[in-house]
Amino acid sequence: MRALVIDDSRAMRRIVTGILTGFGYEVRDAEHGRAALDVLDEGWLPDLATIDWNMPVMDGLQFVSVVRANPAWRAMTMMMVTSESEHTQIVRALAAGAHEYVIKPFTADAIRDKLALLGLLPQEVAL
Amino acid sequence: MTTTDTGERRRASDTRPVITDLIDEATVESIAAEAWVALVGEDEVLVPLPGDLPADILSSWVDVVGPWTGSVVLTTGRATAEELSRALLREHAPEVLDDEDVADAFGEIANVVGGNVKAALPGPSALSLPQVGNAPLVRNQADVCRLDVLWRGEPVAISVQGALPPLPGSTPTRKNEVS
């Protein structure tokens, strides 16, 4: 399976990439929503995108909206991974088309549980 | 009878909350402790004791703009910021951490703590991207909730501080002691 990790923090990209690689994912990353769209435009379509909210150039909510408007990218599951933890923000993201929401700080177990709920946890990864 | 407006009276719109009306040290400590355990490591504890910050310090912060406007600022010694960054990255850390790695990782810790502080405040509020460098000045000493902790024996100051000067007739400003 493929994942696209979108976060302006290099540290957070490394951490999320490490977790997903450990689950058997092939991972690419992008430092903001616009760079992530460039990856999709190349034709590299992931099963999962993890998306930070506050990023320069194009934020996570804008990215979700653009992806949702393109039927060719409909199969991609979008999981917000962000420090925006207010209920209203969660509702906004889900309304825009995100499938799941993980609040920073998180643990690898939290990511694993969300992926299991989404049916995106490779079978060889034990729960 | 004619009355003179001496400026003593205040309209309702002149009032605004200070941070100590909205959040207390225990809440900030709880948020920081959770962030530390998740980001830095399961065994990493923050001990709520003050310590003397060294001369060479670094701050990271995010701004909150909303009904309360200010910054959530982390300040520690530069060497401790580097150690924190390495702890955050764990096995993903490069052999040599450059300044950009430290700024990025230390900024992300402020982002996580700040995001959760924002959630505890009245909204709606917006959160800025993290910044790293010399902390913003404290413009109203009454609008500060500061927590001093030790991490691995090194001092870390976590300050939730208003960005606005005091209203006329209230506490005078003074410079931030940690910057």
Side-chain angles (χ1 to χ4, degrees):
Chain A
M1 280 199 272
R2 289 172 163 182
L4 179 57
V5 174
I6 312 165
D7 199 305
D8 60 322
S9 164
R10 186 163 46 173
M12 198 50 67
R13 291 201 304 274
R14 282 183 181 141
I15 290 168
V16 177
T17 295
I19 291 170
L20 294 175
T21 303
F23 294 157
Y25 274 84
E26 176 191 353
V27 180
R28 288 183 67 174
D29 66 15
E31 60 188 332
H32 48 68
R34 182 63 252 173
L37 290 177
D38 290 342
V39 172
L40 301 182
D41 284 334
E42 286 175 22
W44 197 87
L45 191 63
D47 303 281
L48 170 73
T50 68
I51 309 157
D52 186 21
W53 188 305
N54 294 308
M55 296 181 287
V57 184
M58 178 185 280
D59 69 29
L61 198 63
Q62 290 173 301
F63 173 80
V64 168
S65 300
V66 172
V67 168
R68 274 290 158 261
N70 187 336
W73 295 334
R74 197 157 284 166
M76 182 171 67
T77 296
M78 293 190 285
M79 183 162 73
M80 301 297 292
V81 180
T82 172
S83 59
E84 289 282 358
S85 53
E86 291 156 289
H87 180 71
T88 51
Q89 300 292 71
I90 297 172
V91 170
R92 280 182 71 197
L94 297 177
H99 298 86
E100 259 299 351
Y101 203 101
V102 175
I103 296 169
K104 296 176 184 176
F106 57 82
T107 61
D109 287 347
I111 299 284
R112 187 181 58 188
D113 291 348
K114 294 287 188 185
L115 294 179
L117 281 173
L118 293 164
L120 288 172
L121 195 63
Q123 286 183 341
E124 60 270 24
V125 180
L127 269 177
Chain B
M1 183 176 119
T2 306
T3 57
T4 304
D5 186 350
T6 61
E8 297 289 322
R9 292 173 298 157
R10 296 279 168 259
R11 294 183 298 270
S13 59
D14 287 340
T15 62
R16 59 173 186 250
V18 292
I19 194 62
T20 46
D21 295 336
L22 306 172
I23 199 168
D24 57 18
E25 280 183 28
T27 304
V28 176
E29 185 180 345
S30 170
I31 288 169
E34 188 185 349
W36 243 255
V37 167
L39 291 175
V40 185
E42 285 182 11
D43 301 325
E44 302 290 352
V45 292
L46 294 175
V47 181
L49 286 174
D52 291 329
L53 286 165
D56 188 15
I57 59 172
L58 189 66
S59 294
S60 63
W61 69 94
V62 288
D63 298 327
V64 176
V65 178
W68 178 83
T69 292
S71 306
V72 181
V73 186
L74 271 60
T75 301
T76 191
R78 196 172 293 271
T80 307
E82 185 174 327
E83 194 177 346
L84 259 175
S85 301
R86 195 167 283 287
L88 173 76
L89 288 164
R90 297 174 210 171
E91 68 271 23
H92 313 297
E95 268 188 38
V96 179
L97 278 181
D98 59 27
D99 288 348
E100 202 175 325
D101 288 320
V102 174
D104 178 87
F106 192 37
E108 184 61 17
I109 296 172
N111 181 45
V112 172
V113 173
N116 286 277
V117 167
K118 177 176 87 94
L121 299 176
S125 300
L127 193 69
S128 76
L129 296 174
Q131 300 174 74
V132 177
N134 295 319
L137 298 179
V138 171
R139 303 188 70 197
N140 179 2
Q141 203 62 42
D143 197 9
V144 177
C145 177
R146 175 173 163 151
L147 175 69
D148 289 289
V149 295
L150 298 176
W151 173 67
R152 296 184 181 176
E154 296 298 327
V156 179
I158 302 168
S159 174
V160 186
Q161 58 188 58
L164 303 175
L167 292 168
S170 58
T171 313
T173 56
R174 70 179 196 186
K175 287 190 172 181
N176 186 355
E177 292 171 348
V178 301
S179 64

